[in-house]
Amino acid sequence: MRDLDEFEDGLIDQFRNHPALRGVTDLPQEELQNVLLQRRFLSLACTMVYDLAIDLLTDERSIRIARVIIREKYPDNTSPGSTPSHREDMMADILALGVPRETLVRSRKSLATSACVDTTMELIATAGDSGHADVELLTILRLWGEVLASVEYGELWRRIGPVLGDKSVFYYPRHMHDATSHPLAAASPLSDRLGLRLVQLIDSREARERFHETEQAVFAVKMAFYDQFLPQTVLAGP
């Protein structure tokens, strides 16, 4: 597992150092708003991502873990219907950051954001047809929805934190929850439910290879999402 952790850590470091994330504290307000509004569409797609993966998983324990995670995004701790979902909390924070409601209402997925969502769904569909479907599907859910998401929220918090602080109802709880990454070698039921099951399922060289290739594919999708916020001169190169 340490070899897999080192490989994953390399991807995480590259992702964290994406210029759009590294430069988030210097973004003009309008550009920051665009990043948050486009990132919101990835969050809205999260339920769809988990639902398709659940449909295609064959390992019952993995299915139960995915069900628990997706239902945690829709808490209902008091009377039915009275608790906002995580998506509603995100919207509340975006508005609190000064995004006019009219701007949020009129926002639409960019071509790059649509491609990110579509490619993610295609990755899941293809993984479901693999000989190591459960390994690939759990790898996608963990890296796309947990590990890289924690990096995103951590970097965005550097800009959001000084404005909202602990009054944040979405970004602050996510930042605190995801403040530390959990290596596969140290996965436990309390720290990383998907990672723990993944460790148990990666039981061959071929399974490890599928883990590597799947992580690289997810990494490429997330990098492409943030590429859209870079100046065209940066993308074109010298």
Side-chain angles (χ1 to χ4, degrees):
M1 291 303 115
R2 289 190 181 89
D3 290 342
L4 299 184
D5 282 331
E6 289 178 4
F7 171 78
E8 183 175 88
D9 287 344
L11 296 182
I12 291 171
D13 286 342
Q14 291 181 63
F15 184 59
R16 181 177 286 114
N17 285 300
H18 189 289
L21 289 172
R22 283 283 81 192
V24 70
T25 56
D26 299 321
L27 282 178
Q29 184 67 12
E30 186 175 339
E31 292 182 28
L32 173 67
Q33 291 179 2
N34 185 40
V35 172
L36 296 179
L37 289 173
Q38 289 302 314
R39 181 62 183 76
R40 171 175 169 265
F41 287 114
L42 296 193
S43 292
L44 291 172
C46 189
T47 302
M48 182 171 61
V49 166
Y50 267 83
D51 278 336
L52 180 57
I54 288 170
D55 283 350
L56 303 182
L57 283 165
T58 63
D59 177 60
E60 185 59 34
R61 289 177 62 185
S62 299
I63 292 171
R64 290 200 298 269
I65 293 169
R67 285 173 182 160
V68 169
I69 292 173
I70 195 172
R71 288 168 186 172
E72 287 174 346
K73 301 179 187 302
Y74 298 88
D76 216 354
N77 301 324
T78 56
S79 59
S82 65
T83 307
S85 70
H86 289 179
R87 304 289 79 77
E88 293 172 86
D89 287 341
M90 172 181 278
M91 181 187 70
D93 270 7
I94 290 175
L95 296 177
L97 285 165
V99 177
R101 184 180 182 279
E102 293 77 11
T103 301
L104 183 145
V105 169
R106 294 169 184 167
S107 63
R108 300 292 186 272
K109 292 195 297 292
S110 66
L111 291 177
T113 301
S114 294
C116 178
V117 174
D118 291 345
T119 304
T120 302
M121 298 301 289
E122 180 61 29
L123 285 176
I124 293 172
T126 302
D129 197 33
S130 165
H132 290 278
D134 294 323
V135 168
E136 294 185 31
L137 290 167
L138 288 190
T139 299
I140 294 169
L141 292 183
R142 180 175 173 274
L143 191 64
W144 189 92
E146 304 289 332
V147 175
L148 294 186
S150 73
V151 175
E152 294 172 84
Y153 294 140
E155 294 305 307
L156 291 172
W157 185 250
R158 294 189 295 116
R159 178 66 177 272
I160 295 170
V163 180
L164 295 185
D166 59 7
K167 294 180 181 178
S168 164
V169 293
F170 178 81
Y171 294 106
Y172 179 71
R174 298 289 79 69
H175 170 64
M176 295 303 294
H177 178 267
D178 299 327
T180 57
S181 60
H182 306 294
L184 287 170
S188 74
L190 295 178
S191 66
D192 189 346
R193 293 164 292 188
L194 292 173
L196 179 64
R197 189 58 183 149
L198 196 52
V199 167
Q200 295 165 343
L201 293 173
I202 299 177
D203 57 0
S204 67
R205 176 179 295 180
E206 185 177 356
R208 288 193 293 273
E209 290 173 353
R210 299 312 309 146
F211 171 85
H212 276 92
E213 293 180 15
T214 303
E215 286 222 324
Q216 288 175 321
V218 173
F219 167 77
V221 171
K222 280 294 187 83
M223 290 289 281
F225 172 79
Y226 283 98
D227 282 347
Q228 70 179 300
F229 305 115
L230 298 178
Q232 291 302 308
T233 53
V234 174
L235 292 175

